[in-house]
Structures are given as structure tokens and as C-alpha cells.
Amino acid sequence: MVPFQEIPDEMGTNGSQILPTSERQVRPMTKLEPHKQQEVWLTAVELAGGKVPTGRIVKDVVQRIMERTKIPNTYQIGEVCQILTKDNPELRGKGGCWAIVSAVNDFSCTIRVWDGEYTIGLQHLKSYNYLPAECEQMQLISDACGGLRLRINRVYSSGLEESVQKFLESLGKLNRASLTALEEKLLKVLESKIRD
């Protein structure tokens, strides 16, 4: 549905309307109410200097309006969440992994995962709705894994073979505080090879 049938003529330059020329320009607005869609389009045209805006400009305006109208951040420090990657290249490979909230901001949270901390938008988190005792248990696992994370980070690099990278990533995503005997041996072998 294109939300521009009732937009007044005075919106464009010289009395002419500036309308979308592709579906990519309209797609980001489908999440909004029609009156908000008009506001987005007018703002995007203005940002584009009175010309037809790109899809990127429209998406940025939609994001600003959504952030402005969002409900407050209800996450809490120590809460255990699932990561949802949703168009965030920084989170590639972490979709579905668990994370612990370490800071709460207006429209984002800082989370701890196996390979460090990230500040991400609320749309990239889903609470597991664990009870406080369960969150504490996951916190203990995370803290115990801290030493493991340091070991993994010392060995991990983009120059490693893909299979080795995947193995190290899988160790970092474990939901337990210790390695099996075989996992420990494999990690020690990698650590010794990297030091050489």
C-alpha cells in the first residue's frame, strides 16, 4: 500500500509532488501508521534536498521516528538474552547465542558474549525471561568462561583455517563453565601451535 494518495500538492517544489520511484523507498515505512509514513516521506525529501530520497535516507528517518516513539528499555543488568542478528553485520555468526546484559541505555544495551562486549539496539535482543536464580547461574558460567574467552581470544585470528575458527567459535558459545577433556586437549594443541 502506497501512503501517498492524499498528500497535498504543496509538499513538492514548484507545486509538484515528489513521489517514490521504487519499492525500496517505501518498504521501510510499512511498519508505521499512515500519518507517520507521510511525516517520514516529507522529512526524507527535505533531507534529500527536495529530490526523491534514497531508500537509505528513508530507512534512517524511519529509524529515528521509531526510536523516538519506542517504549522505555526494560532490560536489566545481568539479564540473559538471545541475540537476534537482523541486518546487523557486527553480529554475524552470533544469531541465537546467549548474552548477558552489562549496561542498559535508552535504546540499546551493552551485552557480554563469548568474544567481547557489544552495544546493540533493542531489536537485536530477546529476553529468555529467566528467573533471577537462573540469571545468576548463567552469570557464574559467563564469569567462569571469562578465562576460557581469554584463551580463545589469544588463539583466534582471521588468518586461521575456517575449520579452526569454527571450532574456537563453538568453544566460546558453550553454555557450560568447563571444557571436556578432548576440547581441552584440542585447545592446548592450538595454543602451542600459535605460540610457535
Side-chain angles (χ1 to χ4, degrees), residues 2-196:
V2 179
F4 305 104
Q5 291 131 355
E6 298 180 24
I7 297 175
D9 283 341
E10 61 269 11
M11 149 180 166
T13 56
N14 300 327
S16 64
Q17 291 182 354
I18 298 174
L19 300 174
T21 56
S22 75
E23 188 239 343
R24 289 182 63 199
Q25 297 159 331
V26 178
R27 190 178 321 137
M29 294 187 286
T30 59
K31 304 171 195 168
L32 302 173
E33 296 294 320
H35 71 280
K36 290 285 185 188
Q37 292 174 354
Q38 290 180 2
E39 178 185 341
V40 166
W41 186 253
L42 291 170
T43 304
V45 167
E46 185 179 313
L47 288 172
K51 297 182 176 146
V52 176
T54 63
R56 169 95 292 211
I57 291 173
V58 175
K59 187 175 180 180
D60 289 344
V61 174
V62 167
Q63 188 64 35
R64 278 191 265 157
I65 285 178
M66 288 179 73
E67 286 178 1
R68 188 174 73 204
T69 58
K70 279 186 182 174
I71 58 172
N73 186 347
T74 58
Y75 288 99
Q76 297 178 10
I77 293 174
E79 187 169 354
V80 181
C81 299
Q82 179 182 24
I83 298 173
L84 309 172
T85 53
K86 290 186 183 177
D87 302 331
N88 186 337
E90 184 181 9
L91 298 174
R92 198 174 89 218
K94 294 173 184 61
C97 294
W98 62 275
I100 295 179
V101 176
S102 58
V104 177
N105 310 309
D106 289 338
F107 301 109
S108 65
C109 286
T110 301
I111 57 168
R112 280 190 326 210
V113 294
W114 68 272
D115 66 344
E117 282 195 333
Y118 296 87
T119 299
I120 61 175
L122 301 180
Q123 72 273 22
H124 298 291
L125 288 176
K126 178 182 176 187
S127 178
Y128 279 119
N129 295 316
Y130 285 165
L131 297 172
E134 293 171 310
C135 286
E136 283 181 33
Q137 180 64 32
M138 292 302 285
Q139 185 76 40
L140 290 173
I141 290 171
S142 177
D143 292 345
C145 290
L148 177 60
R149 279 193 207 105
L150 286 172
R151 290 175 66 193
I152 293 169
N153 285 335
R154 280 189 219 125
V155 176
Y156 190 91
S157 78
S158 60
L160 294 172
E161 295 173 13
E162 183 180 354
S163 59
V164 175
Q165 286 179 348
K166 295 295 182 194
F167 170 70
L168 291 170
E169 288 172 10
S170 69
L171 289 182
K173 296 175 185 178
L174 293 175
N175 288 345
R176 52 187 156 84
S178 60
L179 298 176
T180 65
L182 181 58
E183 290 167 341
E184 183 64 38
K185 283 181 185 178
L186 289 171
L187 182 56
K188 283 183 178 180
V189 167
L190 290 172
E191 289 172 323
S192 69
K193 293 293 182 188
I194 298 300
R195 278 188 232 122
D196 297 342

